[in-house]
Amino acid sequence: MARMRAKRHIPERLEVCHERWFDAPMLNKGKWREKCGFPEDAKIFLEIGCGKGKFCTETAPKYPDVLYIALERDTSVILAAIEKAHREEVPNLFFLNADAGLLENYFSEDEIDRIYINFCDPWSRRNKPKRRLTYRAFLEQYKVLLKEHGQIHFKTDNDELYDFSLEEFKECGFALSELTRDLHNSEWDKDNVRTEFEQKFADQGIGIKRAVASL
Ligand SMILES: C[S@@+](CC[C@H](N)C(=O)[O-])C[C@H]1O[C@@H](n2cnc3c(N)ncnc32)[C@H](O)[C@@H]1O
């Protein structure tokens, strides 16, 4: 199998799209709306682990008044997402190259209206459950940053991760709704935007699981 080559010229390519990301994003904590040129009452939707950006570049235009921020820890992966948003000229989409475990360095209490977690790495329940982005330590962090009545929109292909996540949401005080194990044949499919991984799993005939967890 051919080895994937590391992306070349990352700094130069990021520089071309400089209006999409920030040199010192910690300085945006509590000020994302102001820094991105949005009114004080604009909503903020944050996608965690955005991958190459199919979901965020297709979702942000559906909510033109919302400030959409896509977070991804892998620089070469987020570069693909940033370049896509730049090419497609999505005006309300900005990027944060950071680890989800450090969100509190970048956002203030009650700053975020909605979080999307799409097809996060399943890790094994036996070995590394604490790395799951729906593990309770992550959920407790999201709760601080989410507004009252804030929501997490969660999708996965993985049954075991889905069951685990529903338990974690409940344990952390979230109310669950819009539950399905077959999103593409459900009433919620008409508004659904498929991610890169979602398309890959759907092509293999795997049912897509979804839940909305609300405070
Ligand atoms: C399986 S991929 C899914 C990508 C995309 N959401 C999709 O559905 O096509 C998971 C992504 O989450 C990113 N990721 C995993 N853990 C993360 C963390 N702690 N903080 C930020 N990004 C993370 C990975 O680098 C990877 O790009």
Side-chain angles (χ1 to χ4, degrees), residues 181-198:
R181 287 178 189 267
D182 189 7
L183 173 60
H184 297 169
N185 290 303
S186 77
E187 63 189 283
W188 298 291
D189 192 45
K190 63 178 185 339
D191 296 322
N192 184 46
V193 173
R194 295 189 185 196
T195 77
E196 279 103 356
F197 274 67
E198 182 170 354

Side-chain angles (χ1 to χ4, degrees), residues 146-158:
L146 278 170
K147 284 206 174 112
E148 198 183 356
H149 307 307
Q151 292 185 326
I152 299 175
H153 290 215
F154 173 63
K155 293 195 280 188
T156 182
D157 60 297
N158 186 297

Side-chain angles (χ1 to χ4, degrees), residues 127-143:
N127 296 329
K128 310 272 186 208
K130 295 184 177 175
R131 294 196 187 178
R132 292 175 162 175
L133 295 179
T134 51
Y135 179 66
R136 62 193 63 189
F138 280 104
L139 297 186
E140 290 300 336
Q141 185 191 211
Y142 307 151
K143 271 167 72 176

Side-chain angles (χ1 to χ4, degrees), residues 95-113:
F95 291 87
L96 176 54
N97 185 197
D99 193 293
L102 300 173
L103 272 180
E104 278 167 318
N105 293 340
Y106 301 98
F107 294 93
S108 288
E109 245 174 76
D110 299 335
E111 194 170 10
I112 299 171
D113 293 85

Side-chain angles (χ1 to χ4, degrees), residues 56-109:
C56 58
T57 49
E58 291 178 28
T59 304
K62 291 168 71 151
Y63 304 99
D65 298 330
V66 169
L67 167 52
Y68 197 109
I69 301 165
L71 172 141
E72 167 59 54
R73 71 174 170 194
D74 185 320
T75 306
S76 65
V77 173
I78 202 171
L79 172 62
I82 294 174
E83 287 183 326
K84 186 169 169 57
H86 183 71
R87 258 192 329 271
E88 296 180 16
E89 300 181 356
V90 185
N92 57 327
L93 173 56
F94 295 81
F95 291 87
L96 176 54
N97 185 197
D99 193 293
L102 300 173
L103 272 180
E104 278 167 318
N105 293 340
Y106 301 98
F107 294 93
S108 288
E109 245 174 76

